Amino acid sequence: MSEEVTILDKTFVKYIRDEEINAAVAHVAAQINHDYQDEPPLILITLNGAIVFAVDLLKQLSINARITCVKLSSYQGTESTNKINQLIGLSDDVRGKRVLIVEDIVDTGRTYQHLWNMLHEAGVKEVRIATMTLKPEAYKLDLPVHYVGFSIPNKFVIGRGLDYDGYGRQLPDIYQLKTEGNGR
Ligand code: IMP
Ligand code: MG
């Protein structure tokens, strides 16, 4: 795969390689297998971004977890918006259950907060989150982020499920928006 990709009006530079991501996913899977062996969670995948990470992760889980999805959206282009749209809601009864949210990225944490509130209103016993990437500089919540593949700078990234206006999700590596600092 080339070191740069151009999508619509923007150019992105390769930032984290496929093999490194696979290793991080394996590490997260091992932690989850360990922590949930006695009481498996309901795994809640957030569409669309988390699909690639979720598939990679699920194949490595040895726990007997149920799986469901919700679909939320908050981004337009490369900017997060304050408003979260719930496009597909929660169809499962989560009362008294442990829920493990699977995310592609935690940025400001607004999506996580939205899910956390929704799940607690529905009576969950415990909520944790596994995310492929976390932007600590952008993260504004006090809630813990339990399982993290990579902590990354506050720059826009694509690939491995992450998109720019719907494009770039299929890239096996993660790419960062090209700026003065990271251009080669
Ligand atoms: P949050 O609600 O601000 O934490 O943002 C979470 C959502 O914003 C993610 O699930 C992504 O869909 C999107 N997002 C945040 N940062 C990026 C990025 O760098 N690239 C692509 N999507 C992003
Ligand atoms: Mg997402």
Side-chain angles (χ1 to χ4, degrees):
M1 278 274 166
S2 103
E3 295 294 318
E4 286 192 3
V5 290
T6 298
I7 293 178
L8 305 173
D9 58 332
K10 302 212 184 307
T11 300
F12 298 84
V13 186
K14 196 177 279 187
Y15 175 55
I16 309 174
R17 289 180 187 279
D18 185 24
E19 306 79 57
E20 267 183 89
I21 304 165
N22 292 341
V25 175
H27 183 68
V28 169
Q31 289 177 286
I32 292 171
N33 285 333
H34 174 267
D35 292 355
Y36 286 97
Q37 50 192 326
D38 294 333
E39 191 186 341
L42 172 69
I43 293 181
L44 182 65
I45 300 165
T46 60
L47 305 174
N48 295 326
I51 50 174
V52 180
F53 173 53
V55 168
D56 291 343
L57 184 69
L58 292 177
K59 285 186 288 188
Q60 300 186 55
L61 294 186
S62 52
I63 51 172
N64 192 22
R66 286 181 61 221
I67 293 157
T68 192
C69 298
V70 288
K71 182 169 181 175
L72 306 169
S73 91
S74 66
Y75 251 59
Q76 277 179 347
T78 60
E79 295 298 324
S80 183
T81 63
N82 281 316
K83 195 173 169 308
I84 293 169
N85 295 312
Q86 187 157 303
L87 307 170
I88 299 175
L90 190 64
S91 55
D92 292 58
D93 182 6
V94 296
R95 238 170 310 161
K97 292 191 182 140
R98 306 178 87 180
V99 175
L100 176 64
I101 301 167
V102 174
E103 265 288 19
D104 49 349
I105 192 160
V106 174
D107 183 24
T108 62
R110 271 193 291 263
T111 309
Y112 178 25
Q113 180 78 72
H114 177 93
L115 286 169
W116 197 94
N117 293 347
M118 182 182 87
L119 290 165
H120 280 87
E121 278 160 27
V124 284
K125 173 162 124 185
E126 179 201 79
V127 175
R128 292 191 195 171
I129 188 164
T131 185
M132 181 175 71
T133 53
L134 167 70
K135 292 179 177 170
E137 296 154 30
Y139 189 64
K140 298 204 171 71
L141 308 183
D142 291 327
L143 296 175
V145 181
H146 307 83
Y147 306 100
V148 179
F150 297 94
S151 287
I152 61 171
N154 195 7
K155 284 191 181 157
F156 192 76
V157 285
I158 58 162
R160 207 72 179 215
L162 293 155
D163 72 302
Y164 172 45
D165 270 352
Y167 294 99
R169 296 194 198 274
Q170 81 285 1
L171 296 164
D173 308 285
I174 294 176
Y175 290 73
Q176 198 177 52
L177 184 62
K178 187 174 181 178
T179 53
E180 296 278 305
N182 64 8
R184 270 163 252 176

